[in-house]
Each structure stands twice: as C-alpha cells, then as structure tokens.
Amino acid sequence: MILRFLKQWTLPVAIVVGTAAYLLFANVPQLEGVAAVAGPLCESLLPVVLFITLFVTFSKVDFHKMHLVRWHGLVLAAQLVLAAMLLCGILLLGDGSREVRMVMEAVLVCVIAPCASAAPVVTSKLGGDLTRMTTFTLLSSVLMALLIPVVFPLLEQGKGGDAGFLTLFLSIMRRLATVLLLPLLLGALVRHWVGPLYRWLVRTPDIGFYCWCVALSITSGITVKNIVHSSAGLLLLCVIAGGSLVVAVLQFGIGRWIGRHTGDHICTGQAMFQKNTGLAIWIAYTFLTPVSSIGAGCYVLWQNIINSVELRMRVR
C-alpha cells in the first residue's frame, strides 16, 4: 500500500521531502553543523542530478525522427502573445504601483522562460512523444535565448539592463548547454555506440523520472529557503504565488486546447506550461529583483502538482 501510494504521488512526496528537510535543518539548532554542509552539497548536486536525468532520457531519443510539427509553432506563438501582453501591461503601468509591477514581472518571467529541460522526462512518463518534445525543448531554448536579451532590458530594472545582447545571449546559452545540449550529445553517443549501456537504460525506463524527483526535492528546498529569506511582505508573497498559479493553469489550459486541435494534447500541455524555472529565477535576479524570482520559485511547485495529478489520472 505504501509503495503504491509513493509511486502514484512521487512528485508531491518529493516536494514535501525537500520542504521538510529544509525546515528541519533551518529550525533545529542541533542540526546547524550538518545544515552548513548539506545545504551547499545539495546545491552542487542539483546540476549533476539534472544532467543524469536528461542523459538517461535523451539516450532514448531517435534523432532521425526529430523534425518540426505544426504544434511547435502554435505553442511558441501562444507563448509569445501572452508574453507580449504582459510586457505591454508593465510598460503602460510605468512608475505606478511598485507592488503591482513586481507581481506582473514575476508572472512575465514564468511565461517567457523556455520549456523545461526535463519536460521530455515527464512527457514520456505520461505517454507523450519523447522525440517531438525534445525537438520543441531545443527550439524553445534557442528562441527564448534570443528573445530574453531583447525584452527585459526594456524594463530598465535589474543590473542586466546595460549588458549587450550578445553577452546576455551567450550567458543564457552557456547555462542551457550544460543542462541540455551536453546530455543530448552524450545520449546520442550511447544510443549508437555503447550498445550494452543503451539496452540497460531501455530495460529500466523509470531511472530518468526518479532522478528528476531527486532534483525536484532539492529544488523545493531551495525554493522554500528563498521564500523564507525574502524581504517582501507576506501579502505580496501570497499575491505573487497566486499569480504564478494562475499563469501555470492558464498556460496548461492553452497548451491542452492547442493539442485538441493538433492531436497531441499531452505534448502541447507540457510544452506550454512546463518551464525551465532555474533559468527563470536567474532571469529575475539578472534583470528584475530578487522578489520577482519568487514567482518562478512557486511555479516549480505548481507545475509539479499539476504533473502529479496527470500521472495519478494516467495510472488509474
């Protein structure tokens, strides 16, 4: 019974474990020494776990079948329209209410961030097309890397406003290459040149998913830490968290709506709403304010709760 529950609700369990671990180490004085070591260790471990997750997943991708399909363009167009509406709203607001502006900026970050590098992992678990989702993830990452250095300096807020387009583009691509392109290339090498390892990975399909759960647990702890140490008031934090929830549900709904017209609703739902929140948090810190990054931090929780419900419905 316990194993069945854990299998059905793996993502919420990972979120609870990460949250509880941070609160435990942060509030028990006797664990202060352990926390001083465990905190930096977990943050250093996160990119390694993400790398393994994506390497395992991408080793199963058939690169000969990677090509653009109709829903790729529709999802990207919907994302750009939504981002443009928010950007126009922020610019029209001008120097109005600072709190309203921070909420809108936090939501904008959750919209304009590229598709999550780990989105193919969850999509595959839900029964979606792994190859098409991987193609979209690459396409979204490149497009948003081009768009972000153009859009956010217009807001003239963060310390990144004076950096050149090429500098910002290369900085974003460097971050994406570590967690996306390198595991993709190594996965291709294993698929075609390391037969025994490839066959073992195929026989154990859930490795990538459970590695992702470990990464989610670490990310949840870091998110709670950022919220606890935020300088924003409780009301503003709640509004930002609520705004990120609304935009998560909205993007998921738009993606599913597109999928009903293209016959690929699992992929389109994940493609539209599952975001690279690590990059989104960096974007907020670079161009906006630390408070704006709370939106992306909360988005981690919302998107994985939605994913959990999807997985639960699938295994019924």
Side-chain angles (χ1 to χ4, degrees):
M1 181 67 71
I2 296 177
L3 290 176
R4 182 181 179 185
F5 173 81
L6 292 175
K7 186 173 182 180
Q8 292 176 343
W9 297 102
T10 307
L11 296 182
V13 169
I15 293 172
V16 171
V17 168
T19 301
Y22 168 73
L23 294 176
L24 178 66
F25 284 110
N27 293 285
V28 177
Q30 291 80 358
L31 297 177
E32 186 175 323
V34 179
V37 176
L41 179 62
C42 286
E43 293 187 13
S44 301
L45 186 63
L46 181 59
V48 177
V49 176
L50 284 174
F51 182 92
I52 295 172
T53 302
L54 297 178
F55 162 70
V56 170
T57 303
F58 290 152
S59 65
K60 303 171 188 176
V61 173
D62 188 345
F63 290 84
H64 297 293
K65 295 181 180 180
M66 290 182 67
H67 57 83
L68 298 178
V69 293
R70 182 185 172 209
W71 69 259
H72 289 162
L74 293 175
V75 169
L76 285 173
Q79 182 180 357
L80 291 175
V81 169
L82 194 56
M85 291 172 61
L86 285 167
L87 177 62
C88 289
I90 294 172
L91 293 177
L92 289 174
L93 183 65
D95 296 326
S97 172
R98 179 173 173 79
E99 288 76 15
V100 174
R101 185 184 180 102
M102 281 194 288
V103 172
M104 294 180 68
E105 289 174 344
V107 171
L108 175 61
V109 169
C110 297
V111 171
I112 204 170
C115 183
S117 301
V121 178
V122 179
T123 302
S124 178
K125 188 74 173 176
L126 290 170
D129 191 303
L130 175 62
T131 303
R132 290 182 177 180
M133 194 65 207
T134 302
T135 304
F136 178 83
T137 302
L138 293 169
L139 181 65
S140 171
S141 297
V142 174
L143 179 61
M144 294 307 144
L146 289 168
L147 186 62
I148 288 167
V150 174
V151 170
F152 280 90
L154 294 175
L155 302 178
E156 296 180 349
Q157 286 290 311
K159 59 187 178 183
D162 296 329
F165 171 84
L166 183 60
T167 301
L168 294 172
F169 171 74
L170 292 176
S171 180
I172 294 171
M173 289 306 297
R174 184 170 61 252
R175 290 170 179 268
L176 291 172
T178 304
V179 297
L180 184 63
L181 299 181
L182 187 54
L184 186 69
L185 293 175
L186 289 179
L189 290 174
V190 167
R191 179 183 178 90
H192 295 289
W193 299 100
V194 190
L197 177 56
Y198 169 70
R199 288 189 290 272
W200 180 77
L201 292 173
V202 171
R203 290 196 303 268
T204 51
D206 289 335
I207 293 178
F209 177 72
Y210 289 115
C211 285
W212 166 240
C213 291
V214 174
L216 173 60
S217 186
I218 297 173
T219 303
S220 299
I222 294 173
T223 299
V224 173
K225 175 185 175 182
N226 291 338
I227 293 174
V228 169
H229 291 281
S230 172
S231 60
L234 179 60
L235 178 60
L236 179 58
L237 288 175
C238 289
V239 173
I240 290 176
S244 66
L245 173 59
V246 169
V247 79
V249 174
L250 177 63
Q251 290 186 104
F252 181 73
I254 292 173
R256 283 298 184 108
W257 180 80
I258 293 172
R260 285 199 295 269
H261 292 80
T262 60
D264 210 345
H265 67 283
I266 294 176
C267 286
T268 54
Q270 294 299 312
M272 183 73 190
F273 102 103
Q274 196 164 344
K275 300 296 185 179
N276 188 330
T277 49
L279 183 63
I281 291 171
W282 175 77
I283 291 169
Y285 268 102
T286 301
F287 295 101
L288 306 172
T289 64
V291 174
S292 299
S293 69
I294 299 299
C298 293
Y299 198 97
V300 176
L301 307 180
W302 307 139
Q303 72 178 10
N304 284 288
I305 290 172
I306 293 174
N307 283 334
S308 300
V309 174
E310 286 188 286
L311 291 168
R312 178 68 179 88
M313 294 175 65
R314 178 172 172 76
V315 298
R316 279 182 177 178

